[in-house]
């Protein structure tokens, strides 16, 4: 799970993230987040409340931040490259609304899905992501195959079918795209 650490309780996106955590746990899926607050904590807390297993990916150098207590397991990273390695080893990454970090992680998954067999697939959740995919299609050097790699889910209720679709339909990498 990718998403903003800045979105707090009381924001409808935070409520949606908590509900999504419960939905993911109800499928028996392990929920992995960045490990900290905001939407990551909401997803993790929702999953934990539903009896799911939660994993946080905190950064050892970020001593000023404390991982959320809802993480049943922590996999510490010494640097961002190690943290991205954990992310790319997942089967599916789901991106909720976020900022530059969320965008960077989502695009890393997207780029790896182009070329690397067995890497994480990507679900983008919400209208903001849909608009970004449209902008990427208009402004970047990409084609329809590139734009079709992530699945865009309109709402958190659409995430479970989107993830299941990706699990049931493994994609062949497009290969080096240049």
């Amino acid at each position: 799970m990718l998403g903003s650490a800045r979105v707090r309780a009381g924001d409808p996106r935070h409520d949606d993230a908590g509900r999504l955590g419960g939905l993911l746990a109800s499928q028996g899926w392990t929920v992995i987040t960045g490990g900290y607050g905001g939407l990551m904590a909401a997803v993790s807390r929702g999953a934990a409340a539903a009896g799911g297993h939660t994993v946080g990916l905190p950064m050892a150098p970020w001593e000023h931040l404390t991982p959320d207590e809802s993480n049943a397991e922590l996999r510490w990273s010494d640097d961002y490259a190690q943290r991205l390695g954990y992310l790319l080893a997942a089967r599916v990454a789901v991106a909720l609304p976020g900022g530059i970090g969320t965008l960077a992680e989502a695009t890393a998954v997207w780029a790896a899905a182009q070329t690397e067999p067995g890497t994480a697939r990507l679900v983008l959740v919400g209208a903001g992501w849909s608009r970004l995919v449209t902008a990427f299609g208009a402004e970047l050097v990409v084609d329809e195959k590139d734009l079709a790699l992530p699945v865009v889910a309109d709402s958190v209720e659409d995430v479970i079918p989107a993830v299941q679709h990706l699990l049931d339909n493994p994609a062949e990498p497009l290969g080096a795209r240049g």
Side-chain angles (χ1 to χ4, degrees):
M1 293 299 312
L2 313 173
S4 176
R6 298 180 190 182
V7 177
R8 302 285 179 223
D11 185 308
R13 298 171 296 182
H14 192 274
D15 297 339
D16 285 345
R19 191 168 67 255
L20 178 57
L23 293 170
L24 294 165
S26 73
Q27 298 297 308
W29 297 333
T30 297
V31 174
I32 303 172
T33 72
Y36 294 108
L39 297 181
M40 293 176 287
V43 171
S44 186
R45 290 175 187 167
H53 183 69
T54 57
V55 178
L57 303 176
M59 297 284 290
W62 297 357
E63 295 175 359
H64 65 288
L65 295 175
T66 302
D68 191 79
E69 60 197 30
S70 63
N71 297 297
E73 178 184 343
L74 297 174
R75 296 180 189 162
W76 290 91
S77 295
D78 293 322
D79 56 35
Y80 205 64
Q82 185 179 11
R83 190 178 202 206
L84 285 175
Y86 285 130
L87 173 61
L88 294 174
R91 295 200 52 211
V92 177
V94 178
L96 295 169
I100 300 302
T102 304
L103 176 62
E105 291 168 348
T107 55
V109 171
W110 193 345
Q114 284 183 310
T115 61
E116 304 298 319
T119 194
R121 302 287 303 280
L122 182 61
V123 175
L124 303 168
V125 184
W129 286 111
S130 182
R131 289 189 298 273
L132 279 174
V133 170
T134 299
F136 293 159
E139 301 297 333
L140 300 178
V141 181
V142 294
D143 61 28
E144 289 303 314
K145 290 180 181 178
D146 299 310
L147 296 173
L149 284 170
V151 174
V152 179
D154 293 329
S155 68
V156 297
E157 288 77 24
D158 299 323
V159 170
I160 300 301
V163 169
Q164 193 62 59
H165 171 77
L166 292 176
L167 294 173
D168 292 343
N169 299 288
E172 289 296 319
L174 300 176
R177 307 285 286 166

